[in-house]
Amino acid sequence: MTLPSAAAARPSALSRVRYPYAQELANAIARALLEGFDKHYRIFRQMSRDALGRFERADWPAVQRAHAERIALYDERVREAADRLREEFDTEHLPETLWQDIKLQYVGLLTNHRQPELAETFFNSVSCRLLNRSYFNNDCIFVRPAVSTEYLEGDPPAYRSYYPLRDGLRAVLLQIRRDTGLSLPFHRWRRDCRWLLLALREAFARPLRLEPNHQIQVLSSLFFRNKRCYLIGRVVNGHLEKPFAVPIVHDSGGGLTLDACLLDSREIAPLFAFSRAYLMADMDAPAAWVDFLAALLPGKPKAELYTALGLQKHGKTLFFRDFLHHLAHSTDEFVLAPGIKGLVMIVFTLPSYPYVFKVIRDRISPTKDVTHDTVREKYMLVKRHDRIGRMADTLEYADVAFPRERFSAALLEELRREVPSLLEETDSQAVVKHLYIERRMTPLNLYLDKADPAQLREAVIDYGRAIKELCSVNIFPGDMLFKNFGVTRGGRVVFYDYDEIAYMTECNFLRIPPPPTPEAELSAEAWYPVGPNDIFPEEFAPFLLTGRGVREAFLSQHADLLEPGFWNATKARIHEGHIEDVFPYLPGRRFAARFGNPGPSN
């Protein structure tokens, strides 16, 4: 570790006057840091609370704005806190030993705090803006957590318990409804309850005997995203615990209705997928919520759950701790990711770890009209946009130190040649100054090469669906080659290459005019003018539909993507203010599709 110079090892004169003892100075800085975090979380929580009002008003544009604003909130508070420490405490001239005291004082302040894990991450974020990288160790920042969140509860507690055997099922369902805080009426409540019970009976083996411990546990706040909110909990009966998620939507009469009941962790997990916008929920003690959700979704890492709840910075912290743990318990090498090399990014991976690492090239191919700043802007656009299950979320990191001996020779040579400005090497480390990390998926082009006919057909059809769903939320993917899409473990096609994306409303979708002469048609040059935002959908087919099976599958469902009419009609809906309703569960799981009969009102 590099120690500060003798001059830097002395607190500033101003700090010595105001805080004559080092302990007082450390305590003052720790308190200022925690005040910065508490301000952040108050604003974060209020924005999450306000989601209920936006949902009841059906103010979908406000929902989208709030999502983007909440993402920007964290960095604003970190900058604000770092500026305060620089101005009030001259933190550039504090010795390492004092920063260790600051951390200890900060830990003491978190003893009865309800968000200690988030406060530790905030401490790290501010510290990393102020300190040299040599300080990035557990003495000075929270490389490991210092305050336990086990059995931490909020006020109110994270979940409520209801007892149908004691109070009656109808009364319990009414009480759950009241406890949601929703004020709009459920016009067909009896029908909704009947459908809910039908779904539950299908999910539980018959005959069902209710045990003395039978209860329904429901998280104490709804989860809000887009045009839906979700009631999430579990049914406990003897040794059986059954998770559930009940989507609530607006009906055509100005009220609300239950839309479905998801009763399997495999159906519920997509609500928290890395390819969807973050949820909003009012959480006093997020650790208790994440513990509850982790029990419902045992395959979901806690890092992904925190991220899905809008606490993406702590999700990054947990991810990196998991990553360091994996590095300590593995010996394989980082290698270049399989597939066609990108013109903008170098992509590498650790085969034993399910993520890829993406670094922007120093020299981007001239065929790509983008710069480093443009690429970063595109990735931020995706993070703030509604990803609708079709765009992968990314974790952005700076100054990531990898064990140098774990890099393959080919990867190290590629980085040295293509990104010298972002690579810093020592005898033991290879430090990448900026990168993105994404869930690893099978590139669609590689998947299709190995797919059987049925798999190929389904993947190509889902590829077309992905493009249409992206268009519906005002995203034009730009480069639609198969290599820029991946197939998830669940078989879903997801877009992950963002350097050419644009808003649909900024594009002009045109038909190619007929050639003026036969010679013009044979020319290598276009006989028609092409503006920077002009798109000719007829040109997609020669690049995309290269195999007979691919072509037949695509044209069977998505021939309209090769005509400007589809694109312009979608653009028109967006200009009219239409916001698409996108389902994070199969349409066939909706009550109306399963049970159909509307039944009586109340």
Side-chain angles (χ1 to χ4, degrees):
M1 175 176 293
T2 304
L3 294 176
S5 66
R10 296 189 299 272
S12 69
L14 177 61
S15 294
R16 290 200 307 272
V17 170
R18 294 179 60 186
Y19 306 99
Y21 300 104
Q23 197 80 353
E24 288 183 4
L25 178 58
N27 185 266
I29 294 173
R31 288 185 179 279
L33 274 163
L34 188 56
E35 286 169 12
F37 168 74
D38 288 341
K39 178 180 179 180
H40 158 70
Y41 200 71
R42 278 195 306 273
I43 300 171
F44 176 93
R45 194 173 175 193
Q46 187 59 53
M47 293 181 76
S48 302
R49 275 197 202 104
D50 292 343
L52 189 150
R54 291 188 290 269
F55 173 76
E56 291 209 310
R57 295 191 304 272
D59 191 350
W60 312 131
V63 168
Q64 294 179 334
R65 287 194 301 272
H67 166 71
E69 289 169 4
R70 197 180 66 163
I71 287 173
L73 176 67
Y74 185 88
D75 286 337
E76 291 170 5
R77 297 288 81 74
V78 167
R79 281 194 295 270
E80 187 178 275
D83 289 345
R84 178 185 173 186
L85 295 192
R86 289 191 191 99
E87 292 170 8
E88 291 188 21
F89 304 103
D90 193 17
T91 47
E92 293 181 5
H93 299 116
L94 296 181
E96 179 184 357
T97 53
L98 184 59
W99 206 265
Q100 293 171 7
D101 287 341
I102 293 167
K103 180 186 172 186
L104 290 174
Q105 292 287 333
Y106 194 79
V107 170
L109 297 174
L110 298 180
T111 302
N112 294 310
H113 205 280
R114 289 201 177 101
Q115 305 96 34
E117 76 282 25
L118 307 185
E120 289 180 356
T121 288
F122 188 86
F123 182 99
N124 288 353
S125 297
V126 176
S127 299
C128 289
R129 284 178 177 262
L130 300 172
L131 303 177
N132 182 277
R133 194 170 66 238
S134 61
Y135 284 71
F136 295 1
N137 58 72
N138 201 55
D139 290 337
C140 296
I141 65 174
F142 294 93
V143 175
R144 297 187 298 275
V147 179
S148 173
T149 59
E150 194 173 10
Y151 300 113
L152 179 64
E153 262 304 345
D155 182 18
Y159 65 89
R160 302 183 179 96
S161 296
Y162 304 87
Y163 303 93
L165 277 175
R166 184 189 70 190
D167 302 323
L169 183 57
R170 180 178 175 81
V172 160
L173 292 178
L174 279 170
Q175 189 58 50
I176 292 173
R177 171 181 151 183
R178 293 188 194 103
D179 288 342
T180 63
L182 293 166
S183 59
L184 291 180
F186 285 77
H187 289 139
R188 293 183 175 272
W189 178 248
R190 289 183 183 176
R191 180 209 63 183
D192 288 353
C193 288
R194 186 170 70 254
W195 283 353
L196 183 64
L197 293 176
L198 283 171
L200 289 167
R201 285 171 186 155
E202 285 182 1
F204 284 88
R206 311 298 292 177
L208 178 62
R209 179 187 170 200
L210 298 183
E211 302 291 344
N213 72 334
H214 176 55
Q215 58 190 284
I216 302 172
Q217 298 174 349
V218 180
L219 282 165
S220 59
S221 170
L222 294 167
F223 293 74
F224 296 89
R225 180 172 55 211
N226 297 338
K227 294 184 176 182
R228 281 170 168 69
C229 66
Y230 301 89
L231 185 79
I232 294 181
R234 61 188 165 211
V235 178
V236 178
N237 193 56
H239 298 296
L240 176 68
E241 293 188 1
K242 193 76 171 174
F244 66 81
V246 179
I248 301 171
V249 299
H250 283 254
D251 64 20
S252 58
L256 301 174
T257 187
L258 307 183
D259 195 49
C261 184
L262 312 177
L263 286 158
D264 186 282
S265 60
R266 290 170 298 180
E267 291 185 326
I268 298 171
L271 304 184
F272 300 88
F274 64 87
S275 56
R276 296 196 180 273
Y278 304 144
L279 293 149
M280 289 198 177
D282 179 22
M283 302 172 291
D284 185 36
W289 286 67
V290 170
D291 285 345
F292 188 96
L293 291 169
L296 303 187
L297 306 168
K300 278 280 180 192
K302 286 189 175 182
E304 289 189 12
L305 291 173
Y306 272 102
T307 298
L309 295 173
L311 301 166
Q312 69 272 19
K313 297 298 183 179
H314 189 62
K316 282 178 59 177
T317 297
L318 290 185
F319 170 85
F320 206 72
R321 287 171 181 164
D322 289 343
F323 175 60
L324 293 176
H325 178 81
H326 182 85
L327 279 181
H329 294 83
S330 62
T331 58
D332 55 330
E333 287 187 325
F334 289 91
V335 295
L336 290 165
I340 301 171
K341 287 186 177 182
L343 300 177
V344 174
M345 294 280 196
I346 293 175
V347 184
F348 63 95
T349 188
L350 186 66
S352 62
Y353 203 58
Y355 293 86
V356 295
F357 305 81
K358 305 172 72 170
V359 186
I360 305 172
R361 295 177 183 272
D362 278 7
R363 295 176 298 277
I364 297 173
S365 169
T367 60
K368 294 279 190 177
D369 187 20
V370 294
T371 65
H372 274 235
D373 289 342
T374 306
V375 175
R376 293 192 186 197
E377 288 168 8
K378 302 286 189 183
Y379 273 76
M380 182 53 68
L381 182 158
V382 170
K383 183 168 284 291
R384 294 180 179 177
H385 202 82
D386 181 5
R387 294 187 294 279
I388 62 163
R390 295 298 188 177
M391 291 192 288
D393 192 16
T394 55
L395 302 174
E396 185 177 7
Y397 287 90
D399 293 325
V400 180
F402 295 90
R404 186 169 173 272
E405 73 276 4
R406 297 287 294 273
F407 276 18
S408 71
L411 172 58
L412 202 53
E413 177 57 32
E414 182 88 355
L415 294 173
R416 287 168 178 162
R417 183 176 63 252
E418 300 295 337
V419 291
S421 72
L422 296 177
L423 181 66
E424 182 180 309
E425 294 183 72
T426 67
D427 289 342
S428 61
Q429 292 183 332
V431 178
V432 180
K433 297 178 183 178
H434 181 265
L435 57 74
Y436 297 99
I437 302 177
E438 285 178 2
R439 265 282 184 182
R440 187 167 64 221
M441 294 173 273
T442 304
L444 180 57
N445 60 312
L446 300 185
Y447 180 89
L448 294 177
D449 287 344
K450 297 180 179 180
D452 62 36
Q455 291 171 328
L456 182 144
R457 178 177 176 80
E458 179 52 39
V460 170
I461 290 174
D462 198 46
Y463 161 78
R465 287 194 208 107
I467 293 172
K468 288 180 174 177
E469 290 175 14
L470 289 169
C471 294
S472 73
V473 295
N474 201 19
I475 290 292
F476 175 62
D479 190 344
M480 296 191 295
L481 293 175
F482 292 150
K483 71 182 182 69
N484 296 326
F485 291 76
V487 182
T488 68
R489 290 175 297 176
R492 187 174 178 83
V493 175
V494 173
F495 185 53
Y496 55 57
D497 193 311
Y498 307 140
D499 53 87
E500 290 191 24
I501 64 170
Y503 290 118
M504 286 279 292
T505 48
E506 295 176 350
C507 299
N508 306 311
F509 298 97
L510 306 169
R511 185 176 297 281
I512 297 175
T517 65
E519 292 76 19
E521 188 173 13
L522 298 174
S523 172
E525 300 296 325
W527 62 85
Y528 46 91
V530 180
N533 296 325
D534 290 348
I535 310 294
F536 299 90
E538 297 161 81
E539 296 179 334
F540 298 161
F543 297 101
L544 303 178
L545 311 184
T546 54
R548 181 176 177 182
V550 169
R551 185 178 186 85
E552 290 177 354
F554 186 89
L555 293 179
S556 70
Q557 302 285 328
H558 304 301
D560 52 347
L561 286 173
L562 305 179
E563 296 287 335
F566 163 82
W567 303 87
N568 287 320
T570 303
K571 247 179 85 171
R573 286 197 300 274
I574 296 168
H575 277 304
E576 291 165 2
H578 177 77
I579 295 178
E580 198 69 32
D581 192 5
V582 180
F583 297 88
Y585 45 91
L586 294 173
R589 300 301 297 163
R590 301 184 70 191
F591 285 153
R594 294 175 66 184
F595 306 124
N597 180 16
S601 293
N602 281 323

